[in-house]
PDB file of all heavy atoms in Angstrom:
ATOM      1  N   VAL F1932      63.838  14.770 -12.123  1.00  0.00           N
ATOM      2  CA  VAL F1932      65.188  14.523 -11.654  1.00  0.00           C
ATOM      3  C   VAL F1932      65.227  13.097 -11.120  1.00  0.00           C
ATOM      4  O   VAL F1932      64.197  12.548 -10.727  1.00  0.00           O
ATOM      5  CB  VAL F1932      65.568  15.547 -10.549  1.00  0.00           C
ATOM      6  CG1 VAL F1932      64.729  15.352  -9.308  1.00  0.00           C
ATOM      7  CG2 VAL F1932      67.047  15.507 -10.217  1.00  0.00           C
ATOM      8  N   ASN F1933      66.397  12.495 -11.145  1.00  0.00           N
ATOM      9  CA  ASN F1933      66.557  11.147 -10.612  1.00  0.00           C
ATOM     10  C   ASN F1933      66.414  11.205  -9.090  1.00  0.00           C
ATOM     11  O   ASN F1933      67.279  11.713  -8.376  1.00  0.00           O
ATOM     12  CB  ASN F1933      67.929  10.599 -10.994  1.00  0.00           C
ATOM     13  CG  ASN F1933      68.088   9.137 -10.649  1.00  0.00           C
ATOM     14  OD1 ASN F1933      67.763   8.699  -9.556  1.00  0.00           O
ATOM     15  ND2 ASN F1933      68.607   8.365 -11.597  1.00  0.00           N
ATOM     16  N   ARG F1934      65.290  10.693  -8.595  1.00  0.00           N
ATOM     17  CA  ARG F1934      64.990  10.825  -7.158  1.00  0.00           C
ATOM     18  C   ARG F1934      65.985  10.068  -6.291  1.00  0.00           C
ATOM     19  O   ARG F1934      66.291  10.499  -5.173  1.00  0.00           O
ATOM     20  CB  ARG F1934      63.571  10.325  -6.889  1.00  0.00           C
ATOM     21  CG  ARG F1934      62.501  11.165  -7.558  1.00  0.00           C
ATOM     22  CD  ARG F1934      61.164  10.442  -7.544  1.00  0.00           C
ATOM     23  NE  ARG F1934      60.157  11.121  -8.332  1.00  0.00           N
ATOM     24  CZ  ARG F1934      59.162  11.835  -7.829  1.00  0.00           C
ATOM     25  NH1 ARG F1934      59.056  11.972  -6.535  1.00  0.00           N
ATOM     26  NH2 ARG F1934      58.277  12.415  -8.615  1.00  0.00           N
ATOM     27  N   GLU F1935      66.461   8.951  -6.785  1.00  0.00           N
ATOM     28  CA  GLU F1935      67.415   8.180  -5.988  1.00  0.00           C
ATOM     29  C   GLU F1935      68.709   8.955  -5.808  1.00  0.00           C
ATOM     30  O   GLU F1935      69.253   9.034  -4.694  1.00  0.00           O
ATOM     31  CB  GLU F1935      67.690   6.836  -6.646  1.00  0.00           C
ATOM     32  CG  GLU F1935      68.610   5.955  -5.839  1.00  0.00           C
ATOM     33  CD  GLU F1935      68.853   4.609  -6.499  1.00  0.00           C
ATOM     34  OE1 GLU F1935      68.529   4.468  -7.703  1.00  0.00           O
ATOM     35  OE2 GLU F1935      69.351   3.694  -5.814  1.00  0.00           O
ATOM     36  N   ARG F1936      69.231   9.538  -6.883  1.00  0.00           N
ATOM     37  CA  ARG F1936      70.463  10.314  -6.779  1.00  0.00           C
ATOM     38  C   ARG F1936      70.248  11.575  -5.939  1.00  0.00           C
ATOM     39  O   ARG F1936      71.113  11.985  -5.168  1.00  0.00           O
ATOM     40  CB  ARG F1936      70.953  10.681  -8.174  1.00  0.00           C
ATOM     41  CG  ARG F1936      71.145   9.479  -9.104  1.00  0.00           C
ATOM     42  CD  ARG F1936      72.393   8.697  -8.760  1.00  0.00           C
ATOM     43  NE  ARG F1936      72.475   7.442  -9.498  1.00  0.00           N
ATOM     44  CZ  ARG F1936      72.916   7.320 -10.760  1.00  0.00           C
ATOM     45  NH1 ARG F1936      73.305   8.396 -11.423  1.00  0.00           N
ATOM     46  NH2 ARG F1936      72.969   6.138 -11.341  1.00  0.00           N
ATOM     47  N   LEU F1937      69.061  12.199  -6.083  1.00  0.00           N
ATOM     48  CA  LEU F1937      68.775  13.406  -5.317  1.00  0.00           C
ATOM     49  C   LEU F1937      68.737  13.119  -3.819  1.00  0.00           C
ATOM     50  O   LEU F1937      69.178  13.936  -3.001  1.00  0.00           O
ATOM     51  CB  LEU F1937      67.442  14.008  -5.771  1.00  0.00           C
ATOM     52  CG  LEU F1937      66.965  15.253  -5.014  1.00  0.00           C
ATOM     53  CD1 LEU F1937      67.950  16.400  -5.195  1.00  0.00           C
ATOM     54  CD2 LEU F1937      65.576  15.668  -5.488  1.00  0.00           C
ATOM     55  N   SER F1938      68.211  11.953  -3.440  1.00  0.00           N
ATOM     56  CA  SER F1938      68.085  11.637  -2.020  1.00  0.00           C
ATOM     57  C   SER F1938      69.438  11.589  -1.331  1.00  0.00           C
ATOM     58  O   SER F1938      69.531  11.774  -0.109  1.00  0.00           O
ATOM     59  CB  SER F1938      67.349  10.302  -1.839  1.00  0.00           C
ATOM     60  OG  SER F1938      68.126   9.226  -2.360  1.00  0.00           O
ATOM     61  N   GLU F1939      70.506  11.363  -2.092  1.00  0.00           N
ATOM     62  CA  GLU F1939      71.839  11.322  -1.504  1.00  0.00           C
ATOM     63  C   GLU F1939      72.330  12.711  -1.106  1.00  0.00           C
ATOM     64  O   GLU F1939      73.223  12.842  -0.264  1.00  0.00           O
ATOM     65  CB  GLU F1939      72.817  10.684  -2.490  1.00  0.00           C
ATOM     66  CG  GLU F1939      72.462   9.238  -2.859  1.00  0.00           C
ATOM     67  CD  GLU F1939      73.311   8.705  -4.000  1.00  0.00           C
ATOM     68  OE1 GLU F1939      74.134   9.499  -4.526  1.00  0.00           O
ATOM     69  OE2 GLU F1939      73.152   7.531  -4.371  1.00  0.00           O
ATOM     70  N   LEU F1940      71.731  13.766  -1.709  1.00  0.00           N
ATOM     71  CA  LEU F1940      72.169  15.129  -1.435  1.00  0.00           C
ATOM     72  C   LEU F1940      71.532  15.729  -0.190  1.00  0.00           C
ATOM     73  O   LEU F1940      72.077  16.663   0.396  1.00  0.00           O
ATOM     74  CB  LEU F1940      71.822  16.045  -2.625  1.00  0.00           C
ATOM     75  CG  LEU F1940      72.593  15.893  -3.926  1.00  0.00           C
ATOM     76  CD1 LEU F1940      72.037  16.856  -4.954  1.00  0.00           C
ATOM     77  CD2 LEU F1940      74.069  16.143  -3.710  1.00  0.00           C
ATOM     78  N   LEU F1941      70.371  15.226   0.204  1.00  0.00           N
ATOM     79  CA  LEU F1941      69.526  15.920   1.162  1.00  0.00           C
ATOM     80  C   LEU F1941      69.383  15.151   2.466  1.00  0.00           C
ATOM     81  O   LEU F1941      69.725  13.965   2.553  1.00  0.00           O
ATOM     82  CB  LEU F1941      68.154  16.177   0.530  1.00  0.00           C
ATOM     83  CG  LEU F1941      68.206  16.964  -0.789  1.00  0.00           C
ATOM     84  CD1 LEU F1941      66.848  17.016  -1.449  1.00  0.00           C
ATOM     85  CD2 LEU F1941      68.744  18.372  -0.543  1.00  0.00           C
ATOM     86  N   ASP F1942      68.849  15.830   3.474  1.00  0.00           N
ATOM     87  CA  ASP F1942      68.750  15.254   4.817  1.00  0.00           C
ATOM     88  C   ASP F1942      67.447  14.493   5.023  1.00  0.00           C
ATOM     89  O   ASP F1942      67.401  13.530   5.776  1.00  0.00           O
ATOM     90  CB  ASP F1942      68.857  16.367   5.860  1.00  0.00           C
ATOM     91  CG  ASP F1942      70.147  17.155   5.721  1.00  0.00           C
ATOM     92  OD1 ASP F1942      71.205  16.585   6.033  1.00  0.00           O
ATOM     93  OD2 ASP F1942      70.095  18.321   5.287  1.00  0.00           O
ATOM     94  N   TYR F1943      66.344  14.950   4.409  1.00  0.00           N
ATOM     95  CA  TYR F1943      65.056  14.287   4.484  1.00  0.00           C
ATOM     96  C   TYR F1943      64.585  13.976   3.068  1.00  0.00           C
ATOM     97  O   TYR F1943      64.990  14.636   2.100  1.00  0.00           O
ATOM     98  CB  TYR F1943      63.977  15.167   5.132  1.00  0.00           C
ATOM     99  CG  TYR F1943      64.278  15.739   6.489  1.00  0.00           C
ATOM    100  CD1 TYR F1943      63.666  16.928   6.903  1.00  0.00           C
ATOM    101  CD2 TYR F1943      65.133  15.101   7.389  1.00  0.00           C
ATOM    102  CE1 TYR F1943      63.912  17.470   8.156  1.00  0.00           C
ATOM    103  CE2 TYR F1943      65.390  15.644   8.638  1.00  0.00           C
ATOM    104  CZ  TYR F1943      64.778  16.836   9.011  1.00  0.00           C
ATOM    105  OH  TYR F1943      65.033  17.370  10.250  1.00  0.00           O
ATOM    106  N   SER F1944      63.710  12.986   2.953  1.00  0.00           N
ATOM    107  CA  SER F1944      63.040  12.713   1.682  1.00  0.00           C
ATOM    108  C   SER F1944      61.711  13.466   1.693  1.00  0.00           C
ATOM    109  O   SER F1944      60.710  12.984   2.223  1.00  0.00           O
ATOM    110  CB  SER F1944      62.802  11.209   1.501  1.00  0.00           C
ATOM    111  OG  SER F1944      64.015  10.515   1.379  1.00  0.00           O
ATOM    112  N   GLY F1945      61.718  14.674   1.152  1.00  0.00           N
ATOM    113  CA  GLY F1945      60.504  15.487   1.108  1.00  0.00           C
ATOM    114  C   GLY F1945      59.599  15.053  -0.027  1.00  0.00           C
ATOM    115  O   GLY F1945      60.056  14.543  -1.050  1.00  0.00           O
ATOM    116  N   CYS F1946      58.306  15.269   0.145  1.00  0.00           N
ATOM    117  CA  CYS F1946      57.362  14.870  -0.904  1.00  0.00           C
ATOM    118  C   CYS F1946      56.038  15.579  -0.694  1.00  0.00           C
ATOM    119  O   CYS F1946      55.797  16.242   0.321  1.00  0.00           O
ATOM    120  CB  CYS F1946      57.153  13.354  -0.900  1.00  0.00           C
ATOM    121  SG  CYS F1946      56.359  12.718   0.602  1.00  0.00           S
ATOM    122  N   SER F1947      55.185  15.467  -1.678  1.00  0.00           N
ATOM    123  CA  SER F1947      53.772  15.828  -1.555  1.00  0.00           C
ATOM    124  C   SER F1947      52.982  14.682  -2.176  1.00  0.00           C
ATOM    125  O   SER F1947      53.491  13.940  -3.008  1.00  0.00           O
ATOM    126  CB  SER F1947      53.472  17.146  -2.282  1.00  0.00           C
ATOM    127  OG  SER F1947      53.676  17.004  -3.684  1.00  0.00           O
ATOM    128  N   ALA F1948      51.732  14.535  -1.758  1.00  0.00           N
ATOM    129  CA  ALA F1948      50.916  13.435  -2.277  1.00  0.00           C
ATOM    130  C   ALA F1948      49.450  13.798  -2.131  1.00  0.00           C
ATOM    131  O   ALA F1948      49.058  14.535  -1.220  1.00  0.00           O
ATOM    132  CB  ALA F1948      51.216  12.128  -1.537  1.00  0.00           C
ATOM    133  N   ARG F1949      48.662  13.263  -3.024  1.00  0.00           N
ATOM    134  CA  ARG F1949      47.216  13.471  -2.979  1.00  0.00           C
ATOM    135  C   ARG F1949      46.535  12.108  -2.971  1.00  0.00           C
ATOM    136  O   ARG F1949      46.740  11.292  -3.859  1.00  0.00           O
ATOM    137  CB  ARG F1949      46.737  14.286  -4.174  1.00  0.00           C
ATOM    138  CG  ARG F1949      45.243  14.609  -4.135  1.00  0.00           C
ATOM    139  CD  ARG F1949      44.890  15.656  -5.180  1.00  0.00           C
ATOM    140  NE  ARG F1949      43.511  16.088  -5.033  1.00  0.00           N
ATOM    141  CZ  ARG F1949      42.505  15.614  -5.754  1.00  0.00           C
ATOM    142  NH1 ARG F1949      42.733  14.686  -6.672  1.00  0.00           N
ATOM    143  NH2 ARG F1949      41.278  16.044  -5.575  1.00  0.00           N
ATOM    144  N   SER F1950      45.742  11.864  -1.940  1.00  0.00           N
ATOM    145  CA  SER F1950      45.030  10.605  -1.798  1.00  0.00           C
ATOM    146  C   SER F1950      43.547  10.850  -2.038  1.00  0.00           C
ATOM    147  O   SER F1950      42.938  11.707  -1.394  1.00  0.00           O
ATOM    148  CB  SER F1950      45.243  10.036  -0.387  1.00  0.00           C
ATOM    149  OG  SER F1950      44.464   8.882  -0.184  1.00  0.00           O
ATOM    150  N   VAL F1951      42.963  10.100  -2.966  1.00  0.00           N
ATOM    151  CA  VAL F1951      41.561  10.265  -3.334  1.00  0.00           C
ATOM    152  C   VAL F1951      40.813   8.986  -2.985  1.00  0.00           C
ATOM    153  O   VAL F1951      41.226   7.893  -3.360  1.00  0.00           O
ATOM    154  CB  VAL F1951      41.410  10.574  -4.840  1.00  0.00           C
ATOM    155  CG1 VAL F1951      39.949  10.798  -5.204  1.00  0.00           C
ATOM    156  CG2 VAL F1951      42.233  11.797  -5.223  1.00  0.00           C
ATOM    157  N   ARG F1952      39.697   9.134  -2.269  1.00  0.00           N
ATOM    158  CA  ARG F1952      38.967   7.945  -1.818  1.00  0.00           C
ATOM    159  C   ARG F1952      38.285   7.220  -2.964  1.00  0.00           C
ATOM    160  O   ARG F1952      38.010   6.020  -2.872  1.00  0.00           O
ATOM    161  CB  ARG F1952      37.918   8.334  -0.769  1.00  0.00           C
ATOM    162  CG  ARG F1952      37.322   7.143  -0.037  1.00  0.00           C
ATOM    163  CD  ARG F1952      36.258   7.563   0.960  1.00  0.00           C
ATOM    164  NE  ARG F1952      35.078   8.083   0.306  1.00  0.00           N
ATOM    165  CZ  ARG F1952      34.069   7.312  -0.127  1.00  0.00           C
ATOM    166  NH1 ARG F1952      34.118   6.004   0.017  1.00  0.00           N
ATOM    167  NH2 ARG F1952      33.016   7.853  -0.697  1.00  0.00           N
ATOM    168  N   ALA F1953      37.997   7.938  -4.048  1.00  0.00           N
ATOM    169  CA  ALA F1953      37.269   7.330  -5.167  1.00  0.00           C
ATOM    170  C   ALA F1953      38.150   6.304  -5.863  1.00  0.00           C
ATOM    171  O   ALA F1953      38.858   6.598  -6.819  1.00  0.00           O
ATOM    172  CB  ALA F1953      36.820   8.404  -6.152  1.00  0.00           C
ATOM    173  N   ASN F1954      38.146   5.099  -5.357  1.00  0.00           N
ATOM    174  CA  ASN F1954      38.933   4.004  -5.905  1.00  0.00           C
ATOM    175  C   ASN F1954      37.970   2.900  -6.312  1.00  0.00           C
ATOM    176  O   ASN F1954      37.076   2.527  -5.553  1.00  0.00           O
ATOM    177  CB  ASN F1954      39.931   3.495  -4.852  1.00  0.00           C
ATOM    178  CG  ASN F1954      40.897   2.465  -5.391  1.00  0.00           C
ATOM    179  OD1 ASN F1954      40.495   1.366  -5.768  1.00  0.00           O
ATOM    180  ND2 ASN F1954      42.168   2.810  -5.418  1.00  0.00           N
ATOM    181  N   GLU F1955      38.138   2.372  -7.519  1.00  0.00           N
ATOM    182  CA  GLU F1955      37.204   1.379  -8.025  1.00  0.00           C
ATOM    183  C   GLU F1955      37.242   0.082  -7.225  1.00  0.00           C
ATOM    184  O   GLU F1955      36.231  -0.613  -7.129  1.00  0.00           O
ATOM    185  CB  GLU F1955      37.506   1.083  -9.497  1.00  0.00           C
ATOM    186  CG  GLU F1955      37.252   2.269 -10.426  1.00  0.00           C
ATOM    187  CD  GLU F1955      37.529   1.925 -11.871  1.00  0.00           C
ATOM    188  OE1 GLU F1955      37.920   0.768 -12.138  1.00  0.00           O
ATOM    189  OE2 GLU F1955      37.357   2.801 -12.734  1.00  0.00           O
ATOM    190  N   VAL F1956      38.394  -0.239  -6.678  1.00  0.00           N
ATOM    191  CA  VAL F1956      38.557  -1.535  -6.016  1.00  0.00           C
ATOM    192  C   VAL F1956      38.530  -1.402  -4.499  1.00  0.00           C
ATOM    193  O   VAL F1956      37.826  -2.142  -3.816  1.00  0.00           O
ATOM    194  CB  VAL F1956      39.867  -2.206  -6.469  1.00  0.00           C
ATOM    195  CG1 VAL F1956      40.044  -3.550  -5.776  1.00  0.00           C
ATOM    196  CG2 VAL F1956      39.875  -2.373  -7.986  1.00  0.00           C
ATOM    197  N   PHE F1957      39.301  -0.445  -3.966  1.00  0.00           N
ATOM    198  CA  PHE F1957      39.507  -0.367  -2.528  1.00  0.00           C
ATOM    199  C   PHE F1957      38.805   0.840  -1.930  1.00  0.00           C
ATOM    200  O   PHE F1957      38.452   1.797  -2.616  1.00  0.00           O
ATOM    201  CB  PHE F1957      41.003  -0.315  -2.209  1.00  0.00           C
ATOM    202  CG  PHE F1957      41.773  -1.502  -2.698  1.00  0.00           C
ATOM    203  CD1 PHE F1957      42.760  -1.367  -3.665  1.00  0.00           C
ATOM    204  CD2 PHE F1957      41.498  -2.766  -2.210  1.00  0.00           C
ATOM    205  CE1 PHE F1957      43.462  -2.462  -4.120  1.00  0.00           C
ATOM    206  CE2 PHE F1957      42.194  -3.874  -2.658  1.00  0.00           C
ATOM    207  CZ  PHE F1957      43.174  -3.727  -3.626  1.00  0.00           C
TER     208      PHE F1957
END
Side-chain angles (χ1 to χ4, degrees):
V1932 66
N1933 188 313
R1934 295 166 188 255
E1935 183 179 14
R1936 305 285 171 82
L1937 177 63
S1938 66
E1939 299 171 357
L1940 289 178
L1941 303 172
D1942 303 290
Y1943 306 153
S1944 294
C1946 65
S1947 65
R1949 184 168 187 262
S1950 175
V1951 182
R1952 192 182 68 86
N1954 187 295
E1955 294 181 0
V1956 180
F1957 300 116

